[in-house]
Short mmCIF file of all heavy atoms in Angstrom, two decimals:
data_model
loop_
_atom_site.label_atom_id
_atom_site.label_comp_id
_atom_site.label_asym_id
_atom_site.label_seq_id
_atom_site.Cartn_x
_atom_site.Cartn_y
_atom_site.Cartn_z
N MET A 1 64.79 65.58 110.70
CA MET A 1 65.22 66.73 109.92
C MET A 1 64.58 67.98 110.50
O MET A 1 63.38 68.20 110.41
CB MET A 1 64.78 66.52 108.46
CG MET A 1 64.98 67.69 107.60
SD MET A 1 64.71 67.32 105.86
CE MET A 1 62.99 66.98 105.76
N PRO A 2 65.38 68.85 111.18
CA PRO A 2 64.84 70.06 111.80
C PRO A 2 64.47 71.11 110.74
O PRO A 2 65.16 71.26 109.72
CB PRO A 2 65.96 70.56 112.68
CG PRO A 2 67.20 69.89 112.17
CD PRO A 2 66.76 68.66 111.47
N LEU A 3 63.36 71.77 110.97
CA LEU A 3 62.89 72.78 110.05
C LEU A 3 63.03 74.18 110.72
O LEU A 3 62.91 74.32 111.92
CB LEU A 3 61.41 72.56 109.69
CG LEU A 3 61.12 71.28 108.94
CD1 LEU A 3 59.61 71.13 108.75
CD2 LEU A 3 61.83 71.21 107.63
N ILE A 4 63.31 75.16 109.88
CA ILE A 4 63.36 76.54 110.32
C ILE A 4 62.47 77.38 109.41
O ILE A 4 62.11 76.94 108.31
CB ILE A 4 64.80 77.11 110.29
CG1 ILE A 4 65.35 77.04 108.87
CG2 ILE A 4 65.71 76.39 111.25
CD1 ILE A 4 66.64 77.82 108.66
N ALA A 5 62.08 78.54 109.86
CA ALA A 5 61.30 79.45 109.02
C ALA A 5 62.27 80.27 108.13
O ALA A 5 63.26 80.79 108.64
CB ALA A 5 60.47 80.39 109.87
N CYS A 6 61.95 80.36 106.88
CA CYS A 6 62.74 81.18 105.96
C CYS A 6 62.64 82.62 106.42
O CYS A 6 61.55 83.11 106.66
CB CYS A 6 62.24 81.00 104.53
SG CYS A 6 63.07 82.08 103.36
N PRO A 7 63.75 83.35 106.53
CA PRO A 7 63.69 84.74 106.98
C PRO A 7 63.04 85.68 105.98
O PRO A 7 62.62 86.77 106.36
CB PRO A 7 65.16 85.12 107.22
CG PRO A 7 65.92 84.13 106.43
CD PRO A 7 65.11 82.88 106.31
N VAL A 8 62.89 85.26 104.75
CA VAL A 8 62.30 86.14 103.71
C VAL A 8 60.81 85.88 103.55
O VAL A 8 60.00 86.79 103.64
CB VAL A 8 63.04 85.97 102.39
CG1 VAL A 8 62.40 86.81 101.31
CG2 VAL A 8 64.51 86.33 102.53
N CYS A 9 60.43 84.58 103.34
CA CYS A 9 59.05 84.29 103.06
C CYS A 9 58.31 83.59 104.18
O CYS A 9 57.13 83.31 104.09
CB CYS A 9 58.94 83.44 101.78
SG CYS A 9 59.60 81.78 101.94
N GLU A 10 59.02 83.21 105.27
CA GLU A 10 58.43 82.56 106.45
C GLU A 10 57.95 81.12 106.22
O GLU A 10 57.25 80.59 107.08
CB GLU A 10 57.32 83.41 107.05
CG GLU A 10 57.75 84.80 107.49
CD GLU A 10 58.74 84.77 108.63
OE1 GLU A 10 58.59 83.92 109.52
OE2 GLU A 10 59.63 85.61 108.62
N LYS A 11 58.27 80.49 105.12
CA LYS A 11 57.88 79.10 104.91
C LYS A 11 58.85 78.19 105.65
O LYS A 11 60.00 78.55 105.89
CB LYS A 11 57.87 78.77 103.42
CG LYS A 11 56.74 79.49 102.68
CD LYS A 11 56.66 79.02 101.27
CE LYS A 11 55.51 79.73 100.60
NZ LYS A 11 55.30 79.32 99.24
N GLN A 12 58.42 76.98 105.99
CA GLN A 12 59.28 76.03 106.67
C GLN A 12 60.29 75.41 105.68
O GLN A 12 59.91 74.98 104.61
CB GLN A 12 58.43 74.91 107.27
CG GLN A 12 57.53 75.40 108.40
CD GLN A 12 58.34 75.87 109.60
OE1 GLN A 12 59.25 75.20 110.02
NE2 GLN A 12 58.02 77.06 110.09
N VAL A 13 61.57 75.46 106.10
CA VAL A 13 62.66 74.98 105.24
C VAL A 13 63.57 74.12 106.12
O VAL A 13 63.77 74.42 107.27
CB VAL A 13 63.45 76.16 104.65
CG1 VAL A 13 64.55 75.68 103.73
CG2 VAL A 13 62.54 77.13 103.95
N SER A 14 64.14 73.09 105.51
CA SER A 14 65.14 72.28 106.21
C SER A 14 66.38 73.09 106.51
O SER A 14 66.74 73.97 105.73
CB SER A 14 65.51 71.06 105.36
OG SER A 14 66.64 70.42 105.90
N LYS A 15 67.04 72.83 107.65
CA LYS A 15 68.26 73.53 107.99
C LYS A 15 69.37 73.23 107.00
O LYS A 15 70.29 74.00 106.84
CB LYS A 15 68.74 73.14 109.41
CG LYS A 15 68.00 73.82 110.48
CD LYS A 15 68.58 73.38 111.82
CE LYS A 15 69.14 74.59 112.51
NZ LYS A 15 69.66 74.27 113.85
N ARG A 16 69.26 72.10 106.33
CA ARG A 16 70.31 71.67 105.37
C ARG A 16 70.04 72.14 103.94
O ARG A 16 70.82 71.87 103.07
CB ARG A 16 70.46 70.16 105.40
CG ARG A 16 70.92 69.65 106.72
CD ARG A 16 71.04 68.17 106.71
NE ARG A 16 71.48 67.68 108.00
CZ ARG A 16 71.55 66.42 108.30
NH1 ARG A 16 71.21 65.49 107.46
NH2 ARG A 16 71.96 66.05 109.51
N ALA A 17 68.89 72.81 103.73
CA ALA A 17 68.53 73.24 102.37
C ALA A 17 69.56 74.29 101.87
O ALA A 17 69.98 75.15 102.62
CB ALA A 17 67.15 73.82 102.36
N LEU A 18 69.88 74.19 100.58
CA LEU A 18 70.80 75.13 99.99
C LEU A 18 70.07 76.40 99.56
O LEU A 18 70.72 77.46 99.42
CB LEU A 18 71.51 74.51 98.77
CG LEU A 18 72.39 73.30 99.10
CD1 LEU A 18 72.97 72.72 97.84
CD2 LEU A 18 73.49 73.69 100.08
N SER A 19 68.76 76.31 99.34
CA SER A 19 67.96 77.48 99.03
C SER A 19 66.53 77.20 99.44
O SER A 19 66.11 76.04 99.58
CB SER A 19 68.02 77.82 97.54
OG SER A 19 67.44 76.82 96.79
N CYS A 20 65.77 78.26 99.65
CA CYS A 20 64.36 78.12 100.04
C CYS A 20 63.54 77.74 98.79
O CYS A 20 63.65 78.38 97.74
CB CYS A 20 63.86 79.44 100.59
SG CYS A 20 62.09 79.43 100.99
N PRO A 21 62.73 76.67 98.89
CA PRO A 21 61.92 76.29 97.74
C PRO A 21 60.80 77.29 97.46
O PRO A 21 60.29 77.35 96.33
CB PRO A 21 61.35 74.94 98.11
CG PRO A 21 61.46 74.88 99.59
CD PRO A 21 62.56 75.77 100.01
N GLY A 22 60.46 78.12 98.43
CA GLY A 22 59.36 79.09 98.21
C GLY A 22 59.82 80.34 97.54
O GLY A 22 59.17 80.80 96.59
N CYS A 23 60.90 80.94 98.00
CA CYS A 23 61.31 82.25 97.45
C CYS A 23 62.68 82.22 96.78
O CYS A 23 63.07 83.16 96.10
CB CYS A 23 61.33 83.29 98.54
SG CYS A 23 62.56 83.00 99.84
N GLY A 24 63.44 81.15 96.99
CA GLY A 24 64.77 81.03 96.37
C GLY A 24 65.91 81.66 97.13
O GLY A 24 67.01 81.78 96.62
N GLU A 25 65.64 82.11 98.37
CA GLU A 25 66.71 82.70 99.19
C GLU A 25 67.82 81.69 99.36
O GLU A 25 67.61 80.60 99.85
CB GLU A 25 66.13 83.08 100.56
CG GLU A 25 67.15 83.50 101.58
CD GLU A 25 67.85 84.78 101.22
OE1 GLU A 25 67.25 85.64 100.55
OE2 GLU A 25 69.00 84.96 101.61
N PRO A 26 69.06 82.07 98.96
CA PRO A 26 70.16 81.12 99.11
C PRO A 26 70.57 80.94 100.60
O PRO A 26 70.72 81.95 101.31
CB PRO A 26 71.30 81.75 98.32
CG PRO A 26 70.95 83.18 98.18
CD PRO A 26 69.46 83.28 98.30
N ASP A 27 70.71 79.73 101.01
CA ASP A 27 71.16 79.35 102.35
C ASP A 27 70.36 80.09 103.44
O ASP A 27 70.91 80.91 104.19
CB ASP A 27 72.65 79.62 102.51
CG ASP A 27 73.26 78.77 103.60
OD1 ASP A 27 72.55 77.91 104.16
OD2 ASP A 27 74.45 78.98 103.89
N PRO A 28 69.09 79.82 103.60
CA PRO A 28 68.26 80.53 104.58
C PRO A 28 68.69 80.33 106.01
O PRO A 28 68.41 81.14 106.87
CB PRO A 28 66.85 79.98 104.32
CG PRO A 28 67.05 78.69 103.61
CD PRO A 28 68.34 78.81 102.87
N ALA A 29 69.39 79.24 106.33
CA ALA A 29 69.81 79.01 107.70
C ALA A 29 70.89 79.98 108.13
O ALA A 29 71.06 80.29 109.32
CB ALA A 29 70.32 77.57 107.86
N ARG A 30 71.67 80.53 107.22
CA ARG A 30 72.75 81.46 107.53
C ARG A 30 72.40 82.92 107.21
O ARG A 30 73.26 83.77 107.20
CB ARG A 30 74.00 81.06 106.77
CG ARG A 30 74.53 79.73 107.21
CD ARG A 30 75.88 79.51 106.73
NE ARG A 30 76.67 80.71 106.90
CZ ARG A 30 77.94 80.79 106.78
NH1 ARG A 30 78.64 79.76 106.51
NH2 ARG A 30 78.59 81.94 106.95
N TYR A 31 71.14 83.20 106.97
CA TYR A 31 70.71 84.53 106.56
C TYR A 31 71.10 85.60 107.58
O TYR A 31 71.67 86.61 107.25
CB TYR A 31 69.17 84.54 106.35
CG TYR A 31 68.61 85.87 105.95
CD1 TYR A 31 68.68 86.30 104.64
CD2 TYR A 31 68.01 86.70 106.89
CE1 TYR A 31 68.14 87.50 104.27
CE2 TYR A 31 67.47 87.89 106.52
CZ TYR A 31 67.54 88.31 105.21
OH TYR A 31 67.03 89.52 104.84
N HIS A 32 70.83 85.35 108.86
CA HIS A 32 71.10 86.35 109.87
C HIS A 32 72.59 86.52 110.14
O HIS A 32 73.05 87.66 110.35
CB HIS A 32 70.36 86.00 111.18
CG HIS A 32 68.87 86.11 111.02
ND1 HIS A 32 68.22 87.32 110.81
CD2 HIS A 32 67.92 85.18 111.00
CE1 HIS A 32 66.93 87.11 110.66
NE2 HIS A 32 66.72 85.82 110.79
N SER A 33 73.35 85.46 110.08
CA SER A 33 74.81 85.61 110.27
C SER A 33 75.44 86.38 109.14
O SER A 33 76.37 87.15 109.33
CB SER A 33 75.49 84.25 110.46
OG SER A 33 75.38 83.51 109.29
N ARG A 34 74.92 86.22 107.96
CA ARG A 34 75.42 86.96 106.78
C ARG A 34 75.08 88.43 106.93
O ARG A 34 75.93 89.29 106.70
CB ARG A 34 74.77 86.40 105.52
CG ARG A 34 75.56 86.50 104.29
CD ARG A 34 74.98 85.74 103.11
NE ARG A 34 73.57 85.88 102.93
CZ ARG A 34 72.72 84.83 102.91
NH1 ARG A 34 73.14 83.62 103.08
NH2 ARG A 34 71.45 85.03 102.73
N ASN A 35 73.85 88.77 107.38
CA ASN A 35 73.49 90.16 107.53
C ASN A 35 74.24 90.82 108.69
O ASN A 35 74.59 91.99 108.61
CB ASN A 35 71.97 90.28 107.80
CG ASN A 35 71.20 90.15 106.54
OD1 ASN A 35 71.74 90.24 105.43
ND2 ASN A 35 69.90 89.96 106.67
N THR A 36 74.55 90.06 109.73
CA THR A 36 75.31 90.59 110.84
C THR A 36 76.72 90.96 110.37
O THR A 36 77.24 92.03 110.70
CB THR A 36 75.40 89.59 112.00
OG1 THR A 36 74.06 89.24 112.40
CG2 THR A 36 76.16 90.10 113.16
N TRP A 37 77.32 90.10 109.59
CA TRP A 37 78.65 90.31 109.08
C TRP A 37 78.71 91.54 108.18
O TRP A 37 79.59 92.40 108.30
CB TRP A 37 79.13 89.09 108.31
CG TRP A 37 80.53 89.22 107.83
CD1 TRP A 37 81.67 88.99 108.54
CD2 TRP A 37 80.94 89.56 106.51
NE1 TRP A 37 82.77 89.19 107.74
CE2 TRP A 37 82.36 89.54 106.50
CE3 TRP A 37 80.28 89.89 105.34
CZ2 TRP A 37 83.10 89.84 105.36
CZ3 TRP A 37 81.04 90.19 104.21
CH2 TRP A 37 82.41 90.17 104.23
N LEU A 38 77.70 91.68 107.30
CA LEU A 38 77.66 92.86 106.39
C LEU A 38 77.42 94.11 107.20
O LEU A 38 77.97 95.17 106.86
CB LEU A 38 76.59 92.65 105.33
CG LEU A 38 76.88 91.59 104.29
CD1 LEU A 38 75.68 91.38 103.38
CD2 LEU A 38 78.10 91.97 103.47
N GLY A 39 76.60 94.05 108.23
CA GLY A 39 76.34 95.23 109.05
C GLY A 39 77.61 95.66 109.78
O GLY A 39 77.90 96.87 109.85
N ARG A 40 78.35 94.73 110.31
CA ARG A 40 79.61 95.06 110.99
C ARG A 40 80.63 95.64 110.02
O ARG A 40 81.34 96.61 110.36
CB ARG A 40 80.18 93.85 111.67
CG ARG A 40 79.41 93.46 112.88
CD ARG A 40 80.00 92.25 113.55
NE ARG A 40 79.21 91.85 114.69
CZ ARG A 40 79.21 90.68 115.23
NH1 ARG A 40 80.03 89.73 114.77
NH2 ARG A 40 78.46 90.39 116.27
N LEU A 41 80.67 95.14 108.81
CA LEU A 41 81.57 95.65 107.82
C LEU A 41 81.20 97.10 107.44
O LEU A 41 82.07 97.97 107.29
CB LEU A 41 81.57 94.75 106.58
CG LEU A 41 82.54 95.11 105.45
CD1 LEU A 41 83.97 95.03 105.95
CD2 LEU A 41 82.33 94.19 104.28
N PHE A 42 79.92 97.35 107.31
CA PHE A 42 79.44 98.71 107.00
C PHE A 42 79.84 99.69 108.08
O PHE A 42 80.38 100.76 107.80
CB PHE A 42 77.92 98.70 106.81
CG PHE A 42 77.32 100.06 106.75
CD1 PHE A 42 77.46 100.83 105.60
CD2 PHE A 42 76.67 100.60 107.86
CE1 PHE A 42 76.92 102.10 105.53
CE2 PHE A 42 76.12 101.87 107.81
CZ PHE A 42 76.27 102.65 106.65
N TRP A 43 79.59 99.32 109.36
CA TRP A 43 79.91 100.27 110.46
C TRP A 43 81.41 100.42 110.62
O TRP A 43 81.87 101.51 111.00
CB TRP A 43 79.23 99.80 111.76
CG TRP A 43 77.77 100.11 111.70
CD1 TRP A 43 76.76 99.19 111.66
CD2 TRP A 43 77.18 101.39 111.64
NE1 TRP A 43 75.57 99.86 111.57
CE2 TRP A 43 75.78 101.19 111.57
CE3 TRP A 43 77.66 102.70 111.68
CZ2 TRP A 43 74.88 102.25 111.51
CZ3 TRP A 43 76.75 103.75 111.60
CH2 TRP A 43 75.40 103.54 111.51
N LEU A 44 82.18 99.40 110.32
CA LEU A 44 83.62 99.54 110.32
C LEU A 44 84.05 100.58 109.33
O LEU A 44 84.88 101.46 109.60
CB LEU A 44 84.32 98.21 110.07
CG LEU A 44 85.84 98.26 109.95
CD1 LEU A 44 86.45 98.68 111.28
CD2 LEU A 44 86.36 96.92 109.51
N ALA A 45 83.48 100.53 108.10
CA ALA A 45 83.84 101.49 107.06
C ALA A 45 83.42 102.89 107.47
O ALA A 45 84.15 103.86 107.22
CB ALA A 45 83.13 101.10 105.75
N VAL A 46 82.26 103.05 108.12
CA VAL A 46 81.83 104.36 108.61
C VAL A 46 82.81 104.92 109.62
O VAL A 46 83.22 106.08 109.55
CB VAL A 46 80.40 104.29 109.19
CG1 VAL A 46 80.05 105.54 109.94
CG2 VAL A 46 79.37 104.00 108.10
N TRP A 47 83.21 104.10 110.60
CA TRP A 47 84.15 104.57 111.63
C TRP A 47 85.53 104.88 111.06
O TRP A 47 86.19 105.84 111.49
CB TRP A 47 84.26 103.57 112.76
CG TRP A 47 83.07 103.66 113.69
CD1 TRP A 47 82.09 102.75 113.81
CD2 TRP A 47 82.72 104.72 114.56
NE1 TRP A 47 81.15 103.18 114.71
CE2 TRP A 47 81.53 104.39 115.20
CE3 TRP A 47 83.33 105.95 114.86
CZ2 TRP A 47 80.91 105.24 116.09
CZ3 TRP A 47 82.70 106.77 115.77
CH2 TRP A 47 81.51 106.42 116.38
N VAL A 48 85.95 104.11 110.10
CA VAL A 48 87.26 104.40 109.45
C VAL A 48 87.15 105.72 108.70
O VAL A 48 88.09 106.53 108.73
CB VAL A 48 87.70 103.23 108.52
CG1 VAL A 48 88.81 103.67 107.60
CG2 VAL A 48 88.06 102.03 109.34
N GLY A 49 86.05 105.97 108.05
CA GLY A 49 85.83 107.25 107.34
C GLY A 49 85.83 108.43 108.29
O GLY A 49 86.43 109.48 108.01
N ILE A 50 85.14 108.28 109.43
CA ILE A 50 85.10 109.36 110.42
C ILE A 50 86.51 109.58 110.97
O ILE A 50 86.93 110.72 111.13
CB ILE A 50 84.11 109.02 111.56
CG1 ILE A 50 82.70 109.08 111.00
CG2 ILE A 50 84.30 109.93 112.73
CD1 ILE A 50 81.64 108.56 111.99
N GLY A 51 87.25 108.52 111.26
CA GLY A 51 88.61 108.64 111.75
C GLY A 51 89.50 109.38 110.76
O GLY A 51 90.30 110.23 111.14
N ALA A 52 89.38 109.03 109.49
CA ALA A 52 90.20 109.68 108.45
C ALA A 52 89.83 111.16 108.36
O ALA A 52 90.72 112.01 108.22
CB ALA A 52 89.99 108.98 107.11
N LEU A 53 88.56 111.48 108.43
CA LEU A 53 88.12 112.87 108.35
C LEU A 53 88.66 113.66 109.55
O LEU A 53 89.18 114.79 109.37
CB LEU A 53 86.59 112.93 108.34
CG LEU A 53 86.00 114.33 108.20
CD1 LEU A 53 86.36 114.91 106.84
CD2 LEU A 53 84.51 114.25 108.35
N VAL A 54 88.61 113.12 110.75
CA VAL A 54 89.15 113.79 111.90
C VAL A 54 90.65 113.96 111.77
O VAL A 54 91.20 115.02 112.08
CB VAL A 54 88.80 112.99 113.20
CG1 VAL A 54 89.61 113.47 114.37
CG2 VAL A 54 87.32 113.08 113.50
N TRP A 55 91.33 112.95 111.30
CA TRP A 55 92.78 113.01 111.13
C TRP A 55 93.19 114.11 110.15
O TRP A 55 94.15 114.85 110.36
CB TRP A 55 93.33 111.65 110.67
CG TRP A 55 94.80 111.59 110.62
CD1 TRP A 55 95.58 111.75 109.51
CD2 TRP A 55 95.70 111.42 111.72
NE1 TRP A 55 96.90 111.64 109.89
CE2 TRP A 55 97.01 111.45 111.20
CE3 TRP A 55 95.50 111.24 113.08
CZ2 TRP A 55 98.12 111.28 112.03
CZ3 TRP A 55 96.61 111.07 113.87
CH2 TRP A 55 97.90 111.11 113.36
N ILE A 56 92.41 114.23 109.10
CA ILE A 56 92.74 115.22 108.02
C ILE A 56 92.35 116.63 108.42
O ILE A 56 93.08 117.59 108.16
CB ILE A 56 92.10 114.81 106.68
CG1 ILE A 56 92.74 113.51 106.19
CG2 ILE A 56 92.19 115.90 105.66
CD1 ILE A 56 92.02 112.90 105.01
N LYS A 57 91.19 116.80 109.07
CA LYS A 57 90.68 118.15 109.34
C LYS A 57 91.00 118.66 110.75
O LYS A 57 91.35 119.81 110.94
CB LYS A 57 89.14 118.15 109.16
CG LYS A 57 88.69 117.83 107.77
CD LYS A 57 89.03 118.98 106.85
CE LYS A 57 88.47 118.71 105.46
NZ LYS A 57 88.70 119.79 104.55
N VAL A 58 90.85 117.82 111.77
CA VAL A 58 90.93 118.31 113.15
C VAL A 58 92.35 118.28 113.68
O VAL A 58 92.79 119.23 114.36
CB VAL A 58 90.01 117.48 114.06
CG1 VAL A 58 90.13 117.89 115.51
CG2 VAL A 58 88.56 117.61 113.61
N VAL A 59 93.12 117.25 113.40
CA VAL A 59 94.46 117.12 113.94
C VAL A 59 95.35 118.30 113.52
O VAL A 59 96.05 118.89 114.38
CB VAL A 59 95.09 115.76 113.60
CG1 VAL A 59 96.55 115.72 113.94
CG2 VAL A 59 94.34 114.63 114.30
N PRO A 60 95.36 118.73 112.28
CA PRO A 60 96.15 119.91 111.93
C PRO A 60 95.75 121.17 112.67
O PRO A 60 96.61 121.98 113.05
CB PRO A 60 95.95 120.09 110.42
CG PRO A 60 95.59 118.71 109.93
CD PRO A 60 94.80 118.13 111.06
N LEU A 61 94.46 121.37 112.91
CA LEU A 61 94.02 122.51 113.67
C LEU A 61 94.53 122.49 115.10
O LEU A 61 94.99 123.52 115.65
CB LEU A 61 92.51 122.62 113.67
CG LEU A 61 91.82 122.91 112.32
CD1 LEU A 61 90.32 122.81 112.48
CD2 LEU A 61 92.24 124.24 111.80
N VAL A 62 94.50 121.33 115.71
CA VAL A 62 94.98 121.19 117.09
C VAL A 62 96.49 121.40 117.16
O VAL A 62 97.01 122.04 118.04
CB VAL A 62 94.57 119.82 117.67
CG1 VAL A 62 95.23 119.59 119.02
CG2 VAL A 62 93.04 119.74 117.76
N MET A 63 97.19 120.89 116.17
CA MET A 63 98.65 121.03 116.13
C MET A 63 99.04 122.52 115.98
O MET A 63 99.98 123.00 116.57
CB MET A 63 99.24 120.23 114.98
CG MET A 63 99.11 118.73 115.18
SD MET A 63 99.88 118.11 116.64
CE MET A 63 101.57 118.22 116.19
N ASP A 64 98.27 123.25 115.16
CA ASP A 64 98.54 124.70 114.98
C ASP A 64 98.29 125.46 116.29
O ASP A 64 99.00 126.41 116.60
CB ASP A 64 97.65 125.28 113.88
CG ASP A 64 98.13 124.89 112.52
OD1 ASP A 64 99.29 124.48 112.38
OD2 ASP A 64 97.31 124.99 111.57
N LEU A 65 97.29 125.04 117.07
CA LEU A 65 97.03 125.70 118.34
C LEU A 65 98.19 125.50 119.31
O LEU A 65 98.54 126.39 120.08
CB LEU A 65 95.72 125.16 118.95
CG LEU A 65 94.44 125.62 118.33
CD1 LEU A 65 93.25 124.90 118.97
CD2 LEU A 65 94.24 127.12 118.47
N PHE A 66 98.78 124.33 119.34
CA PHE A 66 99.86 124.04 120.25
C PHE A 66 101.19 124.66 119.80
O PHE A 66 102.07 124.89 120.62
CB PHE A 66 100.06 122.54 120.48
CG PHE A 66 98.99 121.98 121.38
CD1 PHE A 66 98.08 121.05 120.93
CD2 PHE A 66 98.93 122.37 122.70
CE1 PHE A 66 97.11 120.52 121.77
CE2 PHE A 66 97.98 121.86 123.57
CZ PHE A 66 97.04 120.93 123.08
N LYS A 67 101.34 124.93 118.52
CA LYS A 67 102.58 125.56 118.01
C LYS A 67 102.70 127.03 118.43
O LYS A 67 103.77 127.52 118.63
CB LYS A 67 102.64 125.46 116.49
CG LYS A 67 103.04 124.11 115.99
CD LYS A 67 103.17 124.13 114.49
CE LYS A 67 103.55 122.79 113.94
NZ LYS A 67 103.63 122.78 112.48
N GLN A 68 101.57 127.71 118.58
CA GLN A 68 101.60 129.13 118.90
C GLN A 68 101.82 129.40 120.29
O GLN A 68 101.94 129.13 121.26
CB GLN A 68 100.28 129.77 118.46
CG GLN A 68 100.11 129.69 116.99
CD GLN A 68 98.74 130.21 116.54
OE1 GLN A 68 97.93 130.58 117.35
NE2 GLN A 68 98.51 130.19 115.25
#
């Protein structure tokens, strides 16, 4: 039975454990993949927001410059 360190409390936990017996972190073996996914989702939302802002504010200004 392979053991890993819990990412929250650093205690040794089985890879098959559903939660850490020390701190209660759910599924400590997938902690980093979960955080990576949430981080990517956050940055995707940021880039979509920036793109929408550029589309709403900058594109009309550029179009007006080319019309004249």
Side-chain angles (χ1 to χ4, degrees):
M1 171 170 68
L3 297 176
I4 60 168
C6 175
V8 177
C9 69
E10 300 295 323
K11 291 186 178 183
Q12 293 294 313
V13 182
S14 169
K15 281 182 118 176
R16 295 180 181 173
L18 298 177
S19 66
C20 175
C23 66
E25 171 67 29
D27 204 5
R30 293 194 44 168
Y31 179 80
H32 293 292
S33 65
R34 209 172 42 239
N35 281 346
T36 302
W37 184 81
L38 290 174
R40 288 180 181 160
L41 184 62
F42 169 76
W43 285 112
L44 175 65
V46 168
W47 282 110
V48 166
I50 291 171
L53 183 65
V54 167
W55 186 261
I56 292 170
K57 298 289 184 177
V58 176
V59 170
L61 293 175
V62 172
M63 294 301 287
D64 285 341
L65 286 175
F66 284 116
K67 282 183 180 178
Q68 296 175 357

